[in-house]
Short mmCIF file of all heavy atoms in Angstrom, two decimals:
data_model
loop_
_atom_site.label_atom_id
_atom_site.label_comp_id
_atom_site.label_asym_id
_atom_site.label_seq_id
_atom_site.Cartn_x
_atom_site.Cartn_y
_atom_site.Cartn_z
N SER A 825 7.29 4.94 -23.69
CA SER A 825 7.92 6.18 -24.16
C SER A 825 8.31 7.13 -23.03
O SER A 825 8.66 8.27 -23.29
CB SER A 825 6.98 6.91 -25.13
OG SER A 825 5.78 7.27 -24.48
N GLY A 826 8.24 6.69 -21.78
CA GLY A 826 8.63 7.54 -20.67
C GLY A 826 7.53 8.47 -20.22
O GLY A 826 7.79 9.61 -19.83
N LYS A 827 6.29 7.99 -20.25
CA LYS A 827 5.14 8.82 -19.89
C LYS A 827 5.23 9.34 -18.47
O LYS A 827 5.07 10.55 -18.22
CB LYS A 827 3.85 8.01 -20.07
CG LYS A 827 2.61 8.63 -19.47
CD LYS A 827 1.41 7.74 -19.64
CE LYS A 827 1.50 6.49 -18.82
NZ LYS A 827 1.42 6.73 -17.35
N THR A 828 5.51 8.45 -17.51
CA THR A 828 5.56 8.86 -16.11
C THR A 828 6.68 9.86 -15.88
O THR A 828 6.51 10.85 -15.16
CB THR A 828 5.74 7.63 -15.21
OG1 THR A 828 4.68 6.70 -15.45
CG2 THR A 828 5.73 8.03 -13.74
N LYS A 829 7.83 9.60 -16.49
CA LYS A 829 8.97 10.52 -16.35
C LYS A 829 8.60 11.90 -16.89
O LYS A 829 8.91 12.93 -16.26
CB LYS A 829 10.17 9.96 -17.09
CG LYS A 829 11.39 10.86 -17.07
CD LYS A 829 12.55 10.23 -17.83
CE LYS A 829 13.80 11.11 -17.79
NZ LYS A 829 14.93 10.47 -18.51
N THR A 830 7.95 11.93 -18.03
CA THR A 830 7.59 13.21 -18.64
C THR A 830 6.60 13.98 -17.77
O THR A 830 6.77 15.18 -17.52
CB THR A 830 6.99 12.98 -20.04
OG1 THR A 830 7.94 12.26 -20.84
CG2 THR A 830 6.65 14.29 -20.71
N LEU A 831 5.57 13.30 -17.30
CA LEU A 831 4.56 13.97 -16.49
C LEU A 831 5.13 14.44 -15.16
O LEU A 831 4.86 15.57 -14.72
CB LEU A 831 3.38 13.03 -16.26
CG LEU A 831 2.13 13.63 -15.59
CD1 LEU A 831 1.64 14.84 -16.36
CD2 LEU A 831 1.03 12.59 -15.48
N ALA A 832 5.93 13.59 -14.51
CA ALA A 832 6.53 13.98 -13.23
C ALA A 832 7.47 15.17 -13.42
O ALA A 832 7.52 16.08 -12.58
CB ALA A 832 7.28 12.80 -12.62
N THR A 833 8.24 15.17 -14.51
CA THR A 833 9.16 16.28 -14.76
C THR A 833 8.39 17.56 -15.06
O THR A 833 8.81 18.65 -14.67
CB THR A 833 10.11 15.94 -15.92
OG1 THR A 833 10.77 14.70 -15.66
CG2 THR A 833 11.17 17.02 -16.09
N ARG A 834 7.26 17.44 -15.74
CA ARG A 834 6.45 18.63 -15.98
C ARG A 834 5.93 19.21 -14.67
O ARG A 834 5.92 20.43 -14.47
CB ARG A 834 5.29 18.32 -16.93
CG ARG A 834 4.35 19.51 -17.12
CD ARG A 834 3.48 19.40 -18.35
NE ARG A 834 2.51 20.48 -18.44
CZ ARG A 834 2.78 21.73 -18.81
NH1 ARG A 834 4.02 22.07 -19.15
NH2 ARG A 834 1.83 22.64 -18.87
N VAL A 835 5.49 18.33 -13.76
CA VAL A 835 5.03 18.80 -12.45
C VAL A 835 6.15 19.56 -11.75
O VAL A 835 5.94 20.66 -11.21
CB VAL A 835 4.54 17.62 -11.59
CG1 VAL A 835 4.27 18.08 -10.16
CG2 VAL A 835 3.30 16.99 -12.18
N ALA A 836 7.35 18.98 -11.75
CA ALA A 836 8.49 19.63 -11.10
C ALA A 836 8.82 20.96 -11.78
O ALA A 836 9.13 21.95 -11.12
CB ALA A 836 9.70 18.71 -11.13
N ARG A 837 8.72 20.98 -13.10
CA ARG A 837 9.05 22.21 -13.85
C ARG A 837 8.05 23.31 -13.53
O ARG A 837 8.42 24.49 -13.45
CB ARG A 837 9.04 21.89 -15.34
CG ARG A 837 9.55 23.05 -16.21
CD ARG A 837 11.04 23.28 -16.00
NE ARG A 837 11.51 24.39 -16.82
CZ ARG A 837 11.44 25.67 -16.47
NH1 ARG A 837 10.89 26.00 -15.30
NH2 ARG A 837 11.91 26.61 -17.25
N LEU A 838 6.78 22.95 -13.35
CA LEU A 838 5.78 23.95 -12.99
C LEU A 838 6.10 24.56 -11.63
O LEU A 838 5.97 25.78 -11.42
CB LEU A 838 4.39 23.32 -12.97
CG LEU A 838 3.81 22.89 -14.32
CD1 LEU A 838 2.50 22.13 -14.13
CD2 LEU A 838 3.59 24.11 -15.23
N VAL A 839 6.54 23.72 -10.67
CA VAL A 839 6.90 24.22 -9.35
C VAL A 839 8.10 25.15 -9.46
O VAL A 839 8.17 26.21 -8.82
CB VAL A 839 7.18 23.05 -8.39
CG1 VAL A 839 7.70 23.56 -7.05
CG2 VAL A 839 5.91 22.23 -8.18
N MET A 840 9.09 24.75 -10.27
CA MET A 840 10.26 25.60 -10.45
C MET A 840 9.90 26.94 -11.07
O MET A 840 10.57 27.95 -10.84
CB MET A 840 11.29 24.88 -11.32
CG MET A 840 11.92 23.65 -10.66
SD MET A 840 13.06 22.82 -11.78
CE MET A 840 14.30 24.10 -12.00
N ALA A 841 8.80 26.95 -11.85
CA ALA A 841 8.37 28.20 -12.49
C ALA A 841 7.49 29.04 -11.56
O ALA A 841 6.99 30.09 -11.98
CB ALA A 841 7.60 27.88 -13.77
N GLY A 842 7.29 28.57 -10.31
CA GLY A 842 6.57 29.36 -9.34
C GLY A 842 5.21 28.84 -8.96
O GLY A 842 4.51 29.46 -8.16
N ALA A 843 4.79 27.70 -9.52
CA ALA A 843 3.48 27.15 -9.17
C ALA A 843 3.49 26.62 -7.74
O ALA A 843 4.46 26.02 -7.29
CB ALA A 843 3.11 26.02 -10.14
N ASP A 844 2.39 26.88 -7.02
CA ASP A 844 2.25 26.40 -5.65
C ASP A 844 1.87 24.91 -5.69
O ASP A 844 0.85 24.55 -6.30
CB ASP A 844 1.15 27.20 -4.95
CG ASP A 844 1.02 26.86 -3.47
OD1 ASP A 844 1.51 25.79 -3.06
OD2 ASP A 844 0.44 27.68 -2.73
N PRO A 845 2.67 24.03 -5.08
CA PRO A 845 2.34 22.59 -5.11
C PRO A 845 0.95 22.29 -4.55
O PRO A 845 0.34 21.30 -4.94
CB PRO A 845 3.44 21.97 -4.23
CG PRO A 845 4.56 22.94 -4.27
CD PRO A 845 3.94 24.30 -4.38
N GLN A 846 0.46 23.15 -3.65
CA GLN A 846 -0.86 22.91 -3.07
C GLN A 846 -2.00 23.39 -3.96
O GLN A 846 -3.16 23.21 -3.61
CB GLN A 846 -0.94 23.58 -1.70
CG GLN A 846 0.12 23.05 -0.73
CD GLN A 846 -0.15 23.46 0.70
OE1 GLN A 846 -1.23 23.24 1.21
NE2 GLN A 846 0.84 24.05 1.35
N ARG A 847 -1.65 23.99 -5.08
CA ARG A 847 -2.65 24.42 -6.04
C ARG A 847 -2.50 23.68 -7.37
O ARG A 847 -2.94 24.16 -8.41
CB ARG A 847 -2.57 25.94 -6.25
CG ARG A 847 -2.95 26.72 -4.98
CD ARG A 847 -2.80 28.23 -5.19
NE ARG A 847 -3.64 28.73 -6.28
CZ ARG A 847 -4.93 29.02 -6.16
NH1 ARG A 847 -5.54 28.85 -4.99
NH2 ARG A 847 -5.60 29.48 -7.18
N ILE A 848 -1.86 22.52 -7.30
CA ILE A 848 -1.73 21.64 -8.47
C ILE A 848 -2.60 20.41 -8.23
O ILE A 848 -2.46 19.73 -7.22
CB ILE A 848 -0.27 21.21 -8.70
CG1 ILE A 848 0.58 22.42 -9.09
CG2 ILE A 848 -0.19 20.13 -9.78
CD1 ILE A 848 2.06 22.09 -9.27
N LEU A 849 -3.51 20.14 -9.14
CA LEU A 849 -4.38 18.96 -9.06
C LEU A 849 -3.82 17.91 -10.01
O LEU A 849 -3.75 18.13 -11.22
CB LEU A 849 -5.81 19.33 -9.45
CG LEU A 849 -6.82 18.17 -9.51
CD1 LEU A 849 -6.93 17.47 -8.15
CD2 LEU A 849 -8.19 18.67 -9.97
N LEU A 850 -3.41 16.78 -9.45
CA LEU A 850 -2.83 15.69 -10.23
C LEU A 850 -3.74 14.48 -10.10
O LEU A 850 -3.84 13.88 -9.03
CB LEU A 850 -1.42 15.37 -9.73
CG LEU A 850 -0.68 14.23 -10.42
CD1 LEU A 850 -0.56 14.49 -11.91
CD2 LEU A 850 0.72 14.08 -9.81
N LEU A 851 -4.41 14.10 -11.18
CA LEU A 851 -5.38 13.01 -11.16
C LEU A 851 -4.82 11.77 -11.84
O LEU A 851 -4.32 11.83 -12.96
CB LEU A 851 -6.66 13.45 -11.88
CG LEU A 851 -7.45 14.58 -11.20
CD1 LEU A 851 -8.52 15.12 -12.13
CD2 LEU A 851 -8.08 14.08 -9.90
N THR A 852 -4.91 10.65 -11.13
CA THR A 852 -4.44 9.37 -11.65
C THR A 852 -5.55 8.33 -11.46
O THR A 852 -6.63 8.65 -11.00
CB THR A 852 -3.16 8.90 -10.93
OG1 THR A 852 -3.50 8.64 -9.54
CG2 THR A 852 -2.08 9.97 -10.97
N PHE A 853 -5.23 7.07 -11.78
CA PHE A 853 -6.24 6.01 -11.63
C PHE A 853 -5.92 5.05 -10.50
O PHE A 853 -6.60 4.05 -10.34
CB PHE A 853 -6.43 5.26 -12.95
CG PHE A 853 -7.36 5.98 -13.89
CD1 PHE A 853 -6.88 7.00 -14.71
CD2 PHE A 853 -8.70 5.69 -13.91
CE1 PHE A 853 -7.74 7.69 -15.55
CE2 PHE A 853 -9.57 6.38 -14.74
CZ PHE A 853 -9.09 7.38 -15.57
N SER A 854 -4.90 5.34 -9.71
CA SER A 854 -4.64 4.56 -8.50
C SER A 854 -3.83 5.44 -7.56
O SER A 854 -3.08 6.32 -7.99
CB SER A 854 -3.88 3.26 -8.80
OG SER A 854 -2.51 3.52 -9.08
N ARG A 855 -3.99 5.19 -6.28
CA ARG A 855 -3.25 5.97 -5.29
C ARG A 855 -1.75 5.71 -5.42
O ARG A 855 -0.93 6.60 -5.20
CB ARG A 855 -3.73 5.62 -3.89
CG ARG A 855 -3.17 6.54 -2.81
CD ARG A 855 -3.76 6.23 -1.46
NE ARG A 855 -3.49 4.86 -1.05
CZ ARG A 855 -4.03 4.30 0.03
NH1 ARG A 855 -4.88 4.98 0.75
NH2 ARG A 855 -3.73 3.07 0.36
N ARG A 856 -1.40 4.47 -5.78
CA ARG A 856 0.02 4.16 -5.96
C ARG A 856 0.62 4.97 -7.10
O ARG A 856 1.76 5.43 -7.01
CB ARG A 856 0.18 2.66 -6.23
CG ARG A 856 -0.08 1.79 -5.00
CD ARG A 856 -0.07 0.32 -5.34
NE ARG A 856 -1.18 -0.05 -6.21
CZ ARG A 856 -2.42 -0.26 -5.78
NH1 ARG A 856 -2.71 -0.12 -4.50
NH2 ARG A 856 -3.37 -0.62 -6.62
N ALA A 857 -0.15 5.16 -8.18
CA ALA A 857 0.35 5.96 -9.29
C ALA A 857 0.54 7.41 -8.86
O ALA A 857 1.52 8.06 -9.25
CB ALA A 857 -0.62 5.87 -10.47
N ALA A 858 -0.38 7.91 -8.05
CA ALA A 858 -0.24 9.29 -7.56
C ALA A 858 0.98 9.43 -6.66
O ALA A 858 1.74 10.41 -6.76
CB ALA A 858 -1.50 9.70 -6.80
N ALA A 859 1.19 8.44 -5.78
CA ALA A 859 2.36 8.49 -4.90
C ALA A 859 3.65 8.41 -5.70
O ALA A 859 4.64 9.09 -5.39
CB ALA A 859 2.29 7.34 -3.89
N GLU A 860 3.66 7.57 -6.74
CA GLU A 860 4.86 7.45 -7.58
C GLU A 860 5.12 8.75 -8.32
O GLU A 860 6.28 9.19 -8.45
CB GLU A 860 4.67 6.30 -8.57
CG GLU A 860 5.78 6.15 -9.61
CD GLU A 860 7.11 5.74 -9.02
OE1 GLU A 860 7.16 5.42 -7.81
OE2 GLU A 860 8.11 5.76 -9.76
N MET A 861 4.08 9.40 -8.81
CA MET A 861 4.24 10.67 -9.51
C MET A 861 4.80 11.72 -8.56
O MET A 861 5.72 12.48 -8.92
CB MET A 861 2.89 11.12 -10.06
CG MET A 861 3.00 12.13 -11.18
SD MET A 861 3.63 11.40 -12.70
CE MET A 861 2.30 10.28 -13.11
N GLU A 862 4.28 11.76 -7.34
CA GLU A 862 4.75 12.72 -6.35
C GLU A 862 6.21 12.45 -5.99
O GLU A 862 7.03 13.38 -5.89
CB GLU A 862 3.87 12.64 -5.10
CG GLU A 862 4.18 13.69 -4.05
CD GLU A 862 3.21 13.61 -2.88
OE1 GLU A 862 2.58 12.55 -2.70
OE2 GLU A 862 3.10 14.60 -2.15
N ARG A 863 6.57 11.18 -5.85
CA ARG A 863 7.95 10.82 -5.50
C ARG A 863 8.93 11.22 -6.60
O ARG A 863 9.98 11.81 -6.34
CB ARG A 863 8.04 9.32 -5.25
CG ARG A 863 9.42 8.82 -4.81
CD ARG A 863 9.47 7.31 -4.73
NE ARG A 863 9.36 6.70 -6.04
CZ ARG A 863 10.39 6.55 -6.87
NH1 ARG A 863 11.59 7.00 -6.54
NH2 ARG A 863 10.21 5.98 -8.05
N ARG A 864 8.55 10.94 -7.83
CA ARG A 864 9.46 11.23 -8.94
C ARG A 864 9.58 12.73 -9.19
O ARG A 864 10.65 13.22 -9.55
CB ARG A 864 9.01 10.48 -10.19
CG ARG A 864 9.14 8.98 -10.02
CD ARG A 864 8.74 8.20 -11.24
NE ARG A 864 9.67 8.39 -12.36
CZ ARG A 864 9.70 7.60 -13.42
NH1 ARG A 864 8.87 6.56 -13.50
NH2 ARG A 864 10.53 7.83 -14.41
N ALA A 865 8.48 13.47 -9.01
CA ALA A 865 8.57 14.92 -9.14
C ALA A 865 9.50 15.48 -8.06
O ALA A 865 10.30 16.41 -8.32
CB ALA A 865 7.18 15.54 -9.02
N GLY A 866 9.43 14.92 -6.85
CA GLY A 866 10.32 15.34 -5.78
C GLY A 866 11.78 15.06 -6.10
O GLY A 866 12.67 15.86 -5.79
N GLN A 867 12.05 13.91 -6.72
CA GLN A 867 13.42 13.57 -7.10
C GLN A 867 13.97 14.58 -8.11
O GLN A 867 15.13 15.00 -8.02
CB GLN A 867 13.46 12.16 -7.69
CG GLN A 867 13.29 11.05 -6.68
CD GLN A 867 13.33 9.68 -7.34
OE1 GLN A 867 13.08 9.53 -8.54
NE2 GLN A 867 13.63 8.66 -6.56
N VAL A 868 13.13 14.95 -9.08
CA VAL A 868 13.57 15.93 -10.08
C VAL A 868 13.89 17.26 -9.41
O VAL A 868 14.91 17.89 -9.70
CB VAL A 868 12.49 16.12 -11.16
CG1 VAL A 868 12.88 17.24 -12.11
CG2 VAL A 868 12.28 14.82 -11.94
#
């Protein structure tokens, strides 16, 4: 259902709303998943 896309876009939207990226805690179950989330949020 586009879970990763939704979560990554929410992260990007929070930054656009003024959230400090260094004060966002993003927890996943693998480092690769965290890197992919970070990459996709950056693309957005």
Side-chain angles (χ1 to χ4, degrees):
S825 62
K827 168 182 69 68
T828 303
K829 177 179 181 179
T830 303
L831 188 55
T833 306
R834 175 161 175 77
V835 171
R837 188 68 181 85
L838 291 173
V839 174
M840 293 177 63
D844 186 341
Q846 301 193 53
R847 294 177 59 82
I848 294 178
L849 176 59
L850 179 57
L851 294 168
T852 65
F853 278 84
S854 75
R855 189 176 60 187
R856 289 173 294 280
E860 174 67 8
M861 200 71 66
E862 186 177 20
R863 183 186 67 82
R864 293 182 69 165
Q867 288 180 338
V868 174

